[in-house]
């Protein structure tokens, strides 16, 4: 690792009780607390996670996996705090390291809104990403950075080809274009 940055985190920061084979195959126990939770379940209308907590899942740090479950609460909001000072084990932050985060929305009817926040209660929203129902995405946070999560650049398209993607209005104003050129089938609703 970098000088003074401490030991390198493991390649996969999941439950330490899983065997090497389980980690390679990416088996995750889903839940909100208890031993062995590798993917945090988002089931309430609003959930706040502090990546700098030693007790994200009740007894361990956050693994970086978040799954929105099928619940009758409508669109869910997941607020992520302190990803830039997230921990890979108790009392050890990811300073100088890049953490891959996984967001999975298994809800078949409602989106998951992911917000990066500067403080408890999400007083200042640093960035937002809306994950449609039935979709998943990997994103990144730099340990020692500005606490923002970097999502793939599919939220805003300025030029190029975009096949099979629904572009809709969201809190960032995407869906407003000065010029939109389409070839093939184009469906406009609303």
């Amino acid at each position: 690792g970098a000088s003074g940055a401490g030991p390198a985190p493991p390649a996969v920061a999941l439950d330490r009780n899983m065997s090497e084979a389980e980690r390679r195959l990416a088996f995750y126990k889903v839940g909100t607390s208890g031993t062995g939770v590798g993917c945090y379940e988002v089931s309430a209308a609003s959930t706040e996670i502090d990546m700098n907590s030693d007790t994200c899942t009740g007894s361990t740090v956050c693994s970086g996996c978040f799954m929105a479950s099928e619940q009758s609460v409508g669109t869910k909001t997941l607020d992520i705090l302190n990803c830039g000072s997230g921990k890979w084990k108790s009392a050890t932050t990811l300073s100088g390291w890049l953490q891959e985060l996984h967001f999975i929305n298994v809800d078949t009817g409602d989106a998951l809104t992911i917000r990066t926040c500067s403080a408890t209660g999400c007083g200042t929203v640093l960035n937002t990403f809306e994950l449609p129902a039935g979709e998943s995405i990997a994103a990144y946070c730099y340990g020692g950075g500005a606490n923002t999560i970097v999502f793939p650049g599919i939220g805003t398209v300025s030029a190029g080809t975009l096949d099979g993607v629904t572009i809709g209005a969201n809190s960032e104003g995407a869906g407003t274009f000065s010029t939109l050129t389409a070839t093939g089938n184009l469906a406009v609703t609303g």
Side-chain angles (χ1 to χ4, degrees):
S3 177
V12 178
L14 301 175
D15 177 15
R16 305 304 183 263
N17 296 319
M18 296 173 81
S19 72
E20 286 294 322
E22 287 174 318
R23 286 195 295 262
R24 266 194 314 277
L25 295 174
F27 289 101
Y28 301 92
K29 179 179 179 184
V30 177
T32 57
S33 63
T35 303
V37 172
C39 195
Y40 192 92
E41 181 177 14
V42 179
S43 59
S46 181
T47 301
E48 185 174 272
I49 296 294
D50 186 346
M51 297 291 290
N52 187 256
S53 172
D54 284 338
T55 57
C56 175
T57 62
S59 61
T60 60
V61 299
C62 292
S63 69
C65 177
F66 305 93
M67 185 198 81
S69 59
E70 182 76 45
Q71 300 292 330
S72 300
V73 297
T75 297
K76 295 170 197 69
T77 299
L78 172 60
D79 292 341
I80 303 286
L81 303 171
N82 300 315
C83 77
S85 60
K87 295 183 177 181
W88 68 276
K89 68 179 187 177
S90 181
T92 308
T93 64
L94 287 162
S95 181
W97 294 90
L98 184 68
Q99 182 178 16
E100 183 175 45
L101 306 172
H102 296 270
F103 300 94
I104 302 104
N105 187 0
V106 299
D107 193 316
T108 58
D110 296 303
L112 171 64
T113 301
I114 304 158
R115 302 188 307 178
T116 311
C117 307
S118 62
T120 302
C122 207
T124 301
V125 177
L126 303 173
N127 64 345
T128 301
F129 186 86
E130 187 168 305
L131 184 62
E135 297 288 334
S136 64
I137 197 161
Y140 303 89
C141 185
Y142 175 64
N147 288 324
T148 57
I149 297 174
V150 179
F151 290 94
I154 64 172
T156 303
V157 177
S158 58
T161 303
L162 188 62
D163 294 325
V165 174
T166 301
I167 301 171
N170 63 31
S171 62
E172 302 298 325
T176 303
F177 302 93
S178 58
T179 303
L180 177 61
T181 304
T183 58
N185 297 326
L186 175 65
V188 179
T189 60

